[in-house]
Amino acid sequence: MDSKAMRKRILITGASGFTGKHAVVHFMKKDYEVTAAMRKEMSCEGASVVSCDLENEDQVMKLIEDANPHYILHLAGQNHVGSSWEQPLSYVNSNVIGTLHLLEAVRKKVPTARIVVAGSALQYNPSDSSTLTHPYSFSKTMQILVSEAWAKLYNLDVVIAKPSNLIGPGHSNGVCSIFAKKIAAMEKGDEKKELHISNLEARRNFIDVRDAVAAYEHLFLFGQRKAVYEIASSVCYSLKEVASMLRTLAHVDFQITNDEANSEPFLIPDTSPLQLIGWKPNYSLEKSLLDILTFHRQTKD
């Protein structure tokens, strides 16, 4: 039998993004036949690259028909909390309408394909409006609600992933990347030797993007239909602890300043369902921070 015919076909939306780039590399190494979908085409060695706007229903239908995937990793969408305040409709169109177009195309063209939808730890509880804090949270919550609805109404094979704060090498607007980029600039003499943090005691749960992508593969292979899986580490760190780790890794000393130091309650996500299907994180926070810092040292921004 043709070896290509035996390979599993995976479609990755948002393949040009922070997580998407890591996902393409991961699944290529695992010998999947990868279709990398993105708004603007860029090189993805070994993968079939397709330009597609998920807000365009016809383009999405053609994408699914041509790729004919066994698996779909849905990463596409907008994910910046700050800009969601200025462009809420854009976030709804991207994160909700784009997802609906994808689900409809799957329903009509490849109804047996498994879809892993990447949600967010910043989703709110729809039954408690006090937990809604920004338009991004609204758009991601609606994305998951429509995914769960289509899974139930049309019996689609949907699995929901809720990753924590993703970190790792690459261009990211996450806090660890912002800190590391400033430190790399300090090392080059291009930045004042001061790292300012609004709230030193703000706590976050971080998970390396490479561990998250490995978790997505576990969900394709072993996850339960219509289930929700948290992807996180077992420890929450304050931003002060993160900054201190980065200072030990830096080639320059710098001052850490802050506006306030108020502790915040932060529950550690329950990753036991994911661990039961064989996943565990491999990257420590220190290793992730070193890789992020190395990336920014080597990158001309």
Side-chain angles (χ1 to χ4, degrees):
M1 183 179 291
D2 183 0
S3 61
K4 185 174 181 179
M6 297 176 63
R7 294 167 68 195
K8 289 294 185 181
R9 296 183 298 276
I10 182 169
L11 167 65
I12 301 172
T13 71
S16 62
F18 173 58
T19 305
K21 290 177 181 177
H22 284 281
V24 170
V25 170
H26 175 91
F27 286 101
M28 288 294 299
K29 286 182 177 178
K30 292 297 189 76
D31 201 34
Y32 288 75
E33 187 178 338
V34 177
T35 297
M38 57 192 75
R39 278 181 179 266
K40 295 181 180 179
E41 288 189 26
M42 59 177 288
S43 175
C44 287
E45 187 174 347
S48 174
V49 178
V50 179
S51 176
C52 180
D53 179 358
L54 294 190
E55 294 176 40
N56 185 309
E57 187 175 4
D58 292 336
Q59 287 186 24
V60 178
M61 199 68 70
K62 186 176 188 308
L63 170 69
I64 294 297
E65 188 171 31
D66 291 348
N68 190 28
H70 299 102
Y71 302 129
I72 300 166
L73 178 55
H74 182 35
L75 302 172
Q78 298 191 57
N79 64 356
H80 193 277
V81 171
S83 63
S84 74
W85 285 103
E86 302 299 324
Q87 305 171 57
L89 187 57
S90 176
Y91 274 69
V92 170
N93 286 335
S94 178
N95 295 340
V96 184
I97 302 303
T99 299
L100 275 170
H101 287 163
L102 183 67
L103 292 166
E104 271 293 272
V106 170
R107 178 177 75 84
K108 294 176 180 179
K109 300 295 183 180
V110 285
T112 61
R114 165 155 286 195
I115 315 163
V116 170
V117 179
S120 170
L122 296 180
Q123 292 165 219
Y124 80 103
N125 179 358
S127 64
D128 181 3
S129 61
S130 68
T131 62
L132 176 59
T133 53
H134 40 71
Y136 170 68
S137 174
F138 171 78
S139 71
K140 291 301 287 186
T141 303
M142 290 300 296
Q143 177 191 50
I144 298 309
L145 288 175
V146 299
S147 298
E148 292 175 333
W150 254 241
K152 179 176 176 58
L153 294 171
Y154 298 107
N155 199 32
L156 295 183
D157 188 359
V158 174
V159 181
I160 305 298
K162 287 180 63 178
S164 189
N165 295 279
L166 295 175
I167 62 173
H171 291 289
S172 164
N173 56 21
V175 65
C176 292
S177 185
I178 292 171
F179 289 176
K181 184 177 180 180
K182 287 182 68 69
I183 292 167
M186 291 179 203
E187 292 176 342
K188 297 172 184 175
D190 298 335
E191 187 85 20
K192 181 181 178 182
K193 293 179 175 59
E194 176 183 296
L195 184 63
H196 185 78
I197 302 172
S198 295
N199 184 0
L200 283 174
E201 296 304 325
R203 303 188 71 79
R204 301 287 184 270
N205 185 281
F206 299 103
I207 188 72
D208 194 286
V209 64
R210 294 162 290 189
D211 282 328
V213 170
Y216 294 146
E217 184 181 18
H218 270 74
L219 296 184
F220 283 127
L221 300 177
F222 311 115
Q224 293 185 9
R225 292 170 67 108
K226 305 175 185 176
V228 179
Y229 291 86
E230 306 260 16
I231 304 175
S233 64
S234 59
V235 182
C236 291
Y237 292 91
S238 69
L239 297 186
K240 179 180 179 180
E241 291 173 309
V242 172
S244 296
M245 284 189 194
L246 282 167
R247 185 154 60 179
T248 64
L249 297 170
H251 297 159
V252 64
D253 194 21
F254 57 87
Q255 183 180 6
I256 300 172
T257 61
N258 66 288
D259 294 328
E260 57 183 334
N262 298 323
S263 60
E264 302 172 346
F266 199 102
L267 296 176
I268 296 176
D270 179 13
T271 61
S272 58
L274 192 53
Q275 292 177 37
L276 285 173
I277 60 173
W279 175 85
K280 64 178 181 180
N282 290 315
Y283 290 86
S284 66
L285 178 59
E286 186 173 32
K287 170 59 176 168
S288 298
L289 292 176
L290 176 59
D291 289 349
I292 298 167
L293 190 53
T294 300
F295 170 80
H296 285 292
R297 284 169 175 158
Q298 297 173 347
T299 302
K300 292 183 179 180
D301 295 307

